[in-house]
Every structure is written in C-alpha cells, then in structure tokens.
Amino acid sequence: MAVNLLLGLQWGDEGKGKIVDVLTSDYDIIARFQGGPNAGHTLIFNGHKHVLHTIPSGIFHKNAINIVGNGVVIDPVIFKKELDNLSSFKLDFKNKLLISRKAHLILPTHRLLDAASETAKGKAKIGSTLKGIGPTYMDKTGRNGIRVGDLELDNWKEKYQLLAKKHLKMLNFFDVDIQFDLNELETEFFKAIKVLKQLTFIDSEEYLNNALKNKKTILAEGAQGSLLDIDFGTYPFVTSSTTTAAGACTGLGVPPNKIGEVFGIFKAYVTRVGSGPFPTELFDEDGEMMAKVGHEFGATTGRPRRCGWLDLVALKYAVEINGVTQLMMMKGDVLSGFEKLKVCTSYNYKGTEINHFPYNIEEHNVTPIYSELKGWKEDLTSMTTANTLPKELIEYIQFIEDFVEVPVKIVSVGPDRKQTIMR
C-alpha cells in the first residue's frame, strides 16, 4: 500500500478541504502533515458550512481515522475552539482524532512574538496571519520547542515557563508597542491544554507505517500551497513549513518509496492573501468579478484575496517539484460569464522571454505573457457529468493539460461536495 498526497499548487486557498472531504470515503486514514491554524479548510455539505484549521478534513466521515502529524504546529486554544464548534455533531474524537506526540505546540508568547515581528517590519511586512506559526517553527528548528509528548511529562510546565520567559525578553528587541495580558492568555491556554490532554496521543510514524503494513489506505493532507513553501515558494512571502510533497515524508515519518498518487489542487484562476509578488494579479473589473463571484475572502483571516488570471508557468513549476500525477481544478464555475479568458504561458523576465519560474518574480523583473481563450456563459453549478460541460471549458482544461502534461481528473463546479465532476 502507498500514501497518496493531496497538495495545493498555488498560494493556498485552492479548495483542498473540499476535495479531501470528497475523497475520504476511499481512505481509512486522513493525515495532516504540516502547517498550523493559519490554514482554513472550508467544507460545505447538507446545507452547512464548516471551517477547519488544524483538524483533518476527514473528521466528518465516521469510518476515517484522522491524524495530526508531527509536522503540524498546534495552538491548543484554537484547537479547543474547533472541538467546541464540532460538539453538536457527536464525533468520536477520542478514537477518530489522533495527535502525534512530536507535533509542536504554539504558546501564547509565540503569537505575541509574531505580532511584534510583523509590526516592526512596517511596510515590508510579510502578511502573517499572526497565529504564532513562524516563531513556533523557529523554536522547533532552534531546538527550543515544546511538543505534544512533553505534556505527558511531570516537568512540562517548567519547560513552558522557561520558554515563555525567554520569549518575553525577546519582545523587548522589537521595540514596538504590543498590548497584552499574559495572565489572561495563559489562563485560556492551560484550560485548552486540559482539553487537548483528553485526546489520544500517538507515535504517529509507528502508527502510519504499521497501517501501511496492514494495507490501510492513507491520504496525506497538506495546508497552504506550494508557492508558499519555505524553500520553493516566493520567499520571504511564504509560510514556515514544507508545503510540497517532500513535507509529507518529514511531516508524517513515511519514506519516499511509500508515496503513491500525488493529487494537485489548483483554481481555474489564481488568488493570493497577504503580501508578496503576483504576476497575473488583476486590478480591473475582471479581478473584481472573480473576487465577488468566488467569495474570495480568507477562511482563517477573513482578508480579501487578490485575484488574477491562471499562471501556467507557476502551475507547471508546482507540478514538477511535487511530482503531481493528477490535477483537480477548482472554481471553474467562477469563470462563467467571461467573454475571453487569459492564461499566462511565459514571462518577460528582464527583457527576455522565459518559460520557467525564476528566482525573483517581483513586478519590476517579471511581466506575464498571455494566451487568450474563449470563455463560456453557461452556469456550471448544476452540472453533474463531464459530457455536459461547455465546449469552451473543455478546451480550457485541454489547454492546461497540454501545457503541464498532467491530466485534470476532477472539476469542481461549486462549493458543495456534490458539485464535483469526475473525468
């Protein structure tokens, strides 16, 4: 048996949560391998909208085991709120939601450091979600972090106090005015820790490798998108973890030779939240229409998303570095009504046309070069089979497939799990 991966191929918000939810019935285990509550996976079914931040998107399927892997960073306060929001669904969290002992904890002081760091940057700010993700990963790589397994130790509170004290000293370095009540933050934190300790902690690498030996089917779920990868994304406007396929190995403890299918999720256009370069960004009526029809607001932050035409140079780059075997196109319905569609097929990079994703895509270096295709007017949201899709959409999909040399196997035509067309 192999571990199949599901990854975002753009700057996040591609619709990964919906597709995991759609695919979960085919898998025994859904495992989240990186990121933290800076991610927001939106699921819509049976007339209800659910936004998950840390809990894997398979939690609503009663037969699936959901694992928060060692590569994830967990904010106990946000995690408790997620559990509280799901309490009415009578889910079996004790047996169906398992937490890796090696996952790191986000402390209240991590969030304070995040806010201070971002404030100190001024106009050069990255666009952090201010959830404490970056400082937590810094402590992880600096070998200072506190992990879920530490909660089982008698001296874990001593470790907490030492690290929090260090963080408070670091706040002085930024020389910015951050208002906070640490006693209030810690009261909420320790209350949430008690809830977290009621769940089941596991040595997730052993659990998953034993599951593979026992022929269990596993889907690894990523957060954010490939262009936000700490190494291969648009640095420094990235997240602090490995969002690409390699992150599944380090974030779950499964070997590379156990990776099977790699599902790549992308929007029929492109969006981005926060700061950073965006070659195909639109500032006209087309961009406004995409944002309005697509309800483009961040699931975690509520911030409006920047919108632009599909960038095939960036998409092919993401396909290559992830080894994507199947593509899944989201929000095709949002493009209904556009008379013409533009697709970026190369860049003008410092006066030279290039076909690859370069080191720097800032606007003073890169100008997109577009191909133009016909749009379609049909409403896609009630369509259920591939042969009912408009000819122009099929041509649009074919153009994408020819460019990136990977088939598009799923087309999403609406937010509900039922609005999913298999090809």
PDB file of all heavy atoms in Angstrom, residues 400-423:
ATOM      1  N   ILE A 400      -4.712  23.500 -20.490  1.00  0.00           N
ATOM      2  CA  ILE A 400      -3.943  23.335 -19.254  1.00  0.00           C
ATOM      3  C   ILE A 400      -3.212  21.994 -19.248  1.00  0.00           C
ATOM      4  O   ILE A 400      -2.018  21.915 -18.934  1.00  0.00           O
ATOM      5  CB  ILE A 400      -4.877  23.444 -18.033  1.00  0.00           C
ATOM      6  CG1 ILE A 400      -5.469  24.854 -17.940  1.00  0.00           C
ATOM      7  CG2 ILE A 400      -4.131  23.087 -16.742  1.00  0.00           C
ATOM      8  CD1 ILE A 400      -6.621  24.977 -16.959  1.00  0.00           C
ATOM      9  N   GLU A 401      -3.934  20.938 -19.592  1.00  0.00           N
ATOM     10  CA  GLU A 401      -3.333  19.595 -19.598  1.00  0.00           C
ATOM     11  C   GLU A 401      -2.157  19.512 -20.561  1.00  0.00           C
ATOM     12  O   GLU A 401      -1.115  18.918 -20.245  1.00  0.00           O
ATOM     13  CB  GLU A 401      -4.392  18.556 -19.979  1.00  0.00           C
ATOM     14  CG  GLU A 401      -5.471  18.344 -18.922  1.00  0.00           C
ATOM     15  CD  GLU A 401      -6.524  17.347 -19.366  1.00  0.00           C
ATOM     16  OE1 GLU A 401      -6.855  17.326 -20.576  1.00  0.00           O
ATOM     17  OE2 GLU A 401      -7.027  16.586 -18.516  1.00  0.00           O
ATOM     18  N   ASP A 402      -2.300  20.094 -21.742  1.00  0.00           N
ATOM     19  CA  ASP A 402      -1.224  20.057 -22.732  1.00  0.00           C
ATOM     20  C   ASP A 402       0.009  20.810 -22.234  1.00  0.00           C
ATOM     21  O   ASP A 402       1.142  20.402 -22.498  1.00  0.00           O
ATOM     22  CB  ASP A 402      -1.699  20.666 -24.063  1.00  0.00           C
ATOM     23  CG  ASP A 402      -2.732  19.803 -24.766  1.00  0.00           C
ATOM     24  OD1 ASP A 402      -2.852  18.613 -24.412  1.00  0.00           O
ATOM     25  OD2 ASP A 402      -3.426  20.320 -25.662  1.00  0.00           O
ATOM     26  N   PHE A 403      -0.228  21.893 -21.506  1.00  0.00           N
ATOM     27  CA  PHE A 403       0.893  22.729 -21.047  1.00  0.00           C
ATOM     28  C   PHE A 403       1.664  22.059 -19.910  1.00  0.00           C
ATOM     29  O   PHE A 403       2.896  22.027 -19.916  1.00  0.00           O
ATOM     30  CB  PHE A 403       0.376  24.099 -20.594  1.00  0.00           C
ATOM     31  CG  PHE A 403       1.455  25.117 -20.395  1.00  0.00           C
ATOM     32  CD1 PHE A 403       1.787  26.009 -21.405  1.00  0.00           C
ATOM     33  CD2 PHE A 403       2.143  25.208 -19.182  1.00  0.00           C
ATOM     34  CE1 PHE A 403       2.783  26.956 -21.225  1.00  0.00           C
ATOM     35  CE2 PHE A 403       3.140  26.146 -18.987  1.00  0.00           C
ATOM     36  CZ  PHE A 403       3.459  27.027 -20.016  1.00  0.00           C
ATOM     37  N   VAL A 404       0.939  21.533 -18.911  1.00  0.00           N
ATOM     38  CA  VAL A 404       1.625  20.977 -17.736  1.00  0.00           C
ATOM     39  C   VAL A 404       1.850  19.478 -17.846  1.00  0.00           C
ATOM     40  O   VAL A 404       2.542  18.885 -17.013  1.00  0.00           O
ATOM     41  CB  VAL A 404       0.853  21.296 -16.438  1.00  0.00           C
ATOM     42  CG1 VAL A 404       0.688  22.793 -16.273  1.00  0.00           C
ATOM     43  CG2 VAL A 404      -0.513  20.611 -16.404  1.00  0.00           C
ATOM     44  N   GLU A 405       1.263  18.843 -18.846  1.00  0.00           N
ATOM     45  CA  GLU A 405       1.457  17.412 -19.151  1.00  0.00           C
ATOM     46  C   GLU A 405       0.996  16.489 -18.021  1.00  0.00           C
ATOM     47  O   GLU A 405       1.609  15.460 -17.741  1.00  0.00           O
ATOM     48  CB  GLU A 405       2.928  17.148 -19.485  1.00  0.00           C
ATOM     49  CG  GLU A 405       3.415  17.939 -20.697  1.00  0.00           C
ATOM     50  CD  GLU A 405       4.886  17.735 -20.977  1.00  0.00           C
ATOM     51  OE1 GLU A 405       5.708  17.949 -20.055  1.00  0.00           O
ATOM     52  OE2 GLU A 405       5.219  17.349 -22.110  1.00  0.00           O
ATOM     53  N   VAL A 406      -0.108  16.886 -17.388  1.00  0.00           N
ATOM     54  CA  VAL A 406      -0.741  16.063 -16.347  1.00  0.00           C
ATOM     55  C   VAL A 406      -2.251  16.180 -16.540  1.00  0.00           C
ATOM     56  O   VAL A 406      -2.758  17.271 -16.794  1.00  0.00           O
ATOM     57  CB  VAL A 406      -0.358  16.538 -14.929  1.00  0.00           C
ATOM     58  CG1 VAL A 406      -1.094  15.727 -13.867  1.00  0.00           C
ATOM     59  CG2 VAL A 406       1.146  16.421 -14.709  1.00  0.00           C
ATOM     60  N   PRO A 407      -3.000  15.072 -16.418  1.00  0.00           N
ATOM     61  CA  PRO A 407      -4.449  15.128 -16.648  1.00  0.00           C
ATOM     62  C   PRO A 407      -5.221  15.779 -15.509  1.00  0.00           C
ATOM     63  O   PRO A 407      -4.861  15.664 -14.342  1.00  0.00           O
ATOM     64  CB  PRO A 407      -4.835  13.643 -16.774  1.00  0.00           C
ATOM     65  CG  PRO A 407      -3.807  12.918 -15.968  1.00  0.00           C
ATOM     66  CD  PRO A 407      -2.528  13.681 -16.167  1.00  0.00           C
ATOM     67  N   VAL A 408      -6.296  16.480 -15.881  1.00  0.00           N
ATOM     68  CA  VAL A 408      -7.231  17.043 -14.910  1.00  0.00           C
ATOM     69  C   VAL A 408      -8.331  16.008 -14.685  1.00  0.00           C
ATOM     70  O   VAL A 408      -9.125  15.728 -15.578  1.00  0.00           O
ATOM     71  CB  VAL A 408      -7.826  18.370 -15.407  1.00  0.00           C
ATOM     72  CG1 VAL A 408      -8.897  18.874 -14.439  1.00  0.00           C
ATOM     73  CG2 VAL A 408      -6.734  19.419 -15.584  1.00  0.00           C
ATOM     74  N   LYS A 409      -8.377  15.429 -13.495  1.00  0.00           N
ATOM     75  CA  LYS A 409      -9.301  14.332 -13.213  1.00  0.00           C
ATOM     76  C   LYS A 409     -10.582  14.762 -12.508  1.00  0.00           C
ATOM     77  O   LYS A 409     -11.582  14.053 -12.532  1.00  0.00           O
ATOM     78  CB  LYS A 409      -8.589  13.262 -12.356  1.00  0.00           C
ATOM     79  CG  LYS A 409      -7.492  12.507 -13.095  1.00  0.00           C
ATOM     80  CD  LYS A 409      -8.082  11.654 -14.199  1.00  0.00           C
ATOM     81  CE  LYS A 409      -7.061  10.713 -14.810  1.00  0.00           C
ATOM     82  NZ  LYS A 409      -7.656   9.878 -15.873  1.00  0.00           N
ATOM     83  N   ILE A 410     -10.545  15.916 -11.856  1.00  0.00           N
ATOM     84  CA  ILE A 410     -11.719  16.423 -11.158  1.00  0.00           C
ATOM     85  C   ILE A 410     -11.913  17.896 -11.516  1.00  0.00           C
ATOM     86  O   ILE A 410     -10.948  18.659 -11.581  1.00  0.00           O
ATOM     87  CB  ILE A 410     -11.574  16.272  -9.626  1.00  0.00           C
ATOM     88  CG1 ILE A 410     -11.755  14.802  -9.213  1.00  0.00           C
ATOM     89  CG2 ILE A 410     -12.574  17.137  -8.877  1.00  0.00           C
ATOM     90  CD1 ILE A 410     -11.626  14.545  -7.730  1.00  0.00           C
ATOM     91  N   VAL A 411     -13.167  18.263 -11.755  1.00  0.00           N
ATOM     92  CA  VAL A 411     -13.529  19.653 -11.982  1.00  0.00           C
ATOM     93  C   VAL A 411     -14.603  20.010 -10.960  1.00  0.00           C
ATOM     94  O   VAL A 411     -15.671  19.402 -10.928  1.00  0.00           O
ATOM     95  CB  VAL A 411     -14.049  19.894 -13.414  1.00  0.00           C
ATOM     96  CG1 VAL A 411     -14.450  21.359 -13.586  1.00  0.00           C
ATOM     97  CG2 VAL A 411     -13.005  19.502 -14.445  1.00  0.00           C
ATOM     98  N   SER A 412     -14.319  20.994 -10.122  1.00  0.00           N
ATOM     99  CA  SER A 412     -15.288  21.446  -9.137  1.00  0.00           C
ATOM    100  C   SER A 412     -16.112  22.583  -9.724  1.00  0.00           C
ATOM    101  O   SER A 412     -15.560  23.533 -10.280  1.00  0.00           O
ATOM    102  CB  SER A 412     -14.573  21.920  -7.866  1.00  0.00           C
ATOM    103  OG  SER A 412     -15.500  22.437  -6.939  1.00  0.00           O
ATOM    104  N   VAL A 413     -17.440  22.479  -9.599  1.00  0.00           N
ATOM    105  CA  VAL A 413     -18.331  23.486 -10.186  1.00  0.00           C
ATOM    106  C   VAL A 413     -19.186  24.172  -9.118  1.00  0.00           C
ATOM    107  O   VAL A 413     -20.231  24.740  -9.410  1.00  0.00           O
ATOM    108  CB  VAL A 413     -19.228  22.857 -11.282  1.00  0.00           C
ATOM    109  CG1 VAL A 413     -18.384  22.408 -12.457  1.00  0.00           C
ATOM    110  CG2 VAL A 413     -20.040  21.691 -10.723  1.00  0.00           C
ATOM    111  N   GLY A 414     -18.734  24.106  -7.871  1.00  0.00           N
ATOM    112  CA  GLY A 414     -19.452  24.741  -6.775  1.00  0.00           C
ATOM    113  C   GLY A 414     -18.856  24.296  -5.452  1.00  0.00           C
ATOM    114  O   GLY A 414     -18.069  23.345  -5.405  1.00  0.00           O
ATOM    115  N   PRO A 415     -19.200  24.958  -4.354  1.00  0.00           N
ATOM    116  CA  PRO A 415     -18.587  24.662  -3.060  1.00  0.00           C
ATOM    117  C   PRO A 415     -19.069  23.374  -2.389  1.00  0.00           C
ATOM    118  O   PRO A 415     -18.352  22.806  -1.567  1.00  0.00           O
ATOM    119  CB  PRO A 415     -18.968  25.879  -2.210  1.00  0.00           C
ATOM    120  CG  PRO A 415     -20.232  26.390  -2.830  1.00  0.00           C
ATOM    121  CD  PRO A 415     -20.093  26.125  -4.295  1.00  0.00           C
ATOM    122  N   ASP A 416     -20.257  22.898  -2.721  1.00  0.00           N
ATOM    123  CA  ASP A 416     -20.792  21.702  -2.070  1.00  0.00           C
ATOM    124  C   ASP A 416     -20.069  20.448  -2.552  1.00  0.00           C
ATOM    125  O   ASP A 416     -19.626  20.371  -3.703  1.00  0.00           O
ATOM    126  CB  ASP A 416     -22.291  21.576  -2.362  1.00  0.00           C
ATOM    127  CG  ASP A 416     -22.976  20.582  -1.440  1.00  0.00           C
ATOM    128  OD1 ASP A 416     -22.880  19.367  -1.712  1.00  0.00           O
ATOM    129  OD2 ASP A 416     -23.603  21.012  -0.460  1.00  0.00           O
ATOM    130  N   ARG A 417     -19.948  19.464  -1.673  1.00  0.00           N
ATOM    131  CA  ARG A 417     -19.257  18.219  -2.053  1.00  0.00           C
ATOM    132  C   ARG A 417     -19.928  17.539  -3.250  1.00  0.00           C
ATOM    133  O   ARG A 417     -19.290  16.813  -4.001  1.00  0.00           O
ATOM    134  CB  ARG A 417     -19.168  17.264  -0.863  1.00  0.00           C
ATOM    135  CG  ARG A 417     -20.489  16.763  -0.341  1.00  0.00           C
ATOM    136  CD  ARG A 417     -20.346  15.499   0.531  1.00  0.00           C
ATOM    137  NE  ARG A 417     -19.587  15.685   1.747  1.00  0.00           N
ATOM    138  CZ  ARG A 417     -19.888  15.102   2.906  1.00  0.00           C
ATOM    139  NH1 ARG A 417     -20.996  14.364   2.999  1.00  0.00           N
ATOM    140  NH2 ARG A 417     -19.126  15.259   3.973  1.00  0.00           N
ATOM    141  N   LYS A 418     -21.256  17.790  -3.450  1.00  0.00           N
ATOM    142  CA  LYS A 418     -21.960  17.182  -4.587  1.00  0.00           C
ATOM    143  C   LYS A 418     -21.606  17.845  -5.914  1.00  0.00           C
ATOM    144  O   LYS A 418     -21.834  17.258  -6.978  1.00  0.00           O
ATOM    145  CB  LYS A 418     -23.469  17.245  -4.351  1.00  0.00           C
ATOM    146  CG  LYS A 418     -23.962  16.414  -3.169  1.00  0.00           C
ATOM    147  CD  LYS A 418     -25.453  16.566  -2.977  1.00  0.00           C
ATOM    148  CE  LYS A 418     -25.960  15.752  -1.802  1.00  0.00           C
ATOM    149  NZ  LYS A 418     -27.421  15.926  -1.597  1.00  0.00           N
ATOM    150  N   GLN A 419     -21.085  19.050  -5.858  1.00  0.00           N
ATOM    151  CA  GLN A 419     -20.758  19.799  -7.082  1.00  0.00           C
ATOM    152  C   GLN A 419     -19.341  19.481  -7.531  1.00  0.00           C
ATOM    153  O   GLN A 419     -18.478  20.346  -7.655  1.00  0.00           O
ATOM    154  CB  GLN A 419     -20.946  21.301  -6.838  1.00  0.00           C
ATOM    155  CG  GLN A 419     -22.392  21.694  -6.565  1.00  0.00           C
ATOM    156  CD  GLN A 419     -22.536  23.128  -6.136  1.00  0.00           C
ATOM    157  OE1 GLN A 419     -21.971  23.567  -5.123  1.00  0.00           O
ATOM    158  NE2 GLN A 419     -23.290  23.908  -6.909  1.00  0.00           N
ATOM    159  N   THR A 420     -19.101  18.206  -7.770  1.00  0.00           N
ATOM    160  CA  THR A 420     -17.782  17.701  -8.109  1.00  0.00           C
ATOM    161  C   THR A 420     -17.897  16.731  -9.281  1.00  0.00           C
ATOM    162  O   THR A 420     -18.605  15.721  -9.175  1.00  0.00           O
ATOM    163  CB  THR A 420     -17.143  16.980  -6.899  1.00  0.00           C
ATOM    164  OG1 THR A 420     -17.221  17.835  -5.749  1.00  0.00           O
ATOM    165  CG2 THR A 420     -15.699  16.622  -7.171  1.00  0.00           C
ATOM    166  N   ILE A 421     -17.220  17.045 -10.375  1.00  0.00           N
ATOM    167  CA  ILE A 421     -17.325  16.226 -11.595  1.00  0.00           C
ATOM    168  C   ILE A 421     -16.046  15.440 -11.808  1.00  0.00           C
ATOM    169  O   ILE A 421     -14.944  15.995 -11.828  1.00  0.00           O
ATOM    170  CB  ILE A 421     -17.613  17.120 -12.815  1.00  0.00           C
ATOM    171  CG1 ILE A 421     -19.004  17.759 -12.686  1.00  0.00           C
ATOM    172  CG2 ILE A 421     -17.517  16.313 -14.115  1.00  0.00           C
ATOM    173  CD1 ILE A 421     -19.345  18.733 -13.783  1.00  0.00           C
ATOM    174  N   MET A 422     -16.182  14.137 -11.931  1.00  0.00           N
ATOM    175  CA  MET A 422     -15.041  13.257 -12.193  1.00  0.00           C
ATOM    176  C   MET A 422     -14.871  13.098 -13.712  1.00  0.00           C
ATOM    177  O   MET A 422     -15.842  12.950 -14.433  1.00  0.00           O
ATOM    178  CB  MET A 422     -15.276  11.885 -11.561  1.00  0.00           C
ATOM    179  CG  MET A 422     -15.643  11.922 -10.075  1.00  0.00           C
ATOM    180  SD  MET A 422     -14.295  12.529  -9.044  1.00  0.00           S
ATOM    181  CE  MET A 422     -15.069  12.487  -7.411  1.00  0.00           C
ATOM    182  N   ARG A 423     -13.628  13.098 -14.172  1.00  0.00           N
ATOM    183  CA  ARG A 423     -13.345  12.952 -15.609  1.00  0.00           C
ATOM    184  C   ARG A 423     -12.558  11.663 -15.861  1.00  0.00           C
ATOM    185  O   ARG A 423     -11.755  11.260 -15.057  1.00  0.00           O
ATOM    186  CB  ARG A 423     -12.525  14.138 -16.121  1.00  0.00           C
ATOM    187  CG  ARG A 423     -13.234  15.484 -15.993  1.00  0.00           C
ATOM    188  CD  ARG A 423     -12.360  16.612 -16.491  1.00  0.00           C
ATOM    189  NE  ARG A 423     -12.298  16.641 -17.947  1.00  0.00           N
ATOM    190  CZ  ARG A 423     -11.184  16.657 -18.654  1.00  0.00           C
ATOM    191  NH1 ARG A 423     -10.024  16.599 -18.046  1.00  0.00           N
ATOM    192  NH2 ARG A 423     -11.192  16.708 -19.970  1.00  0.00           N
TER     193      ARG A 423
END
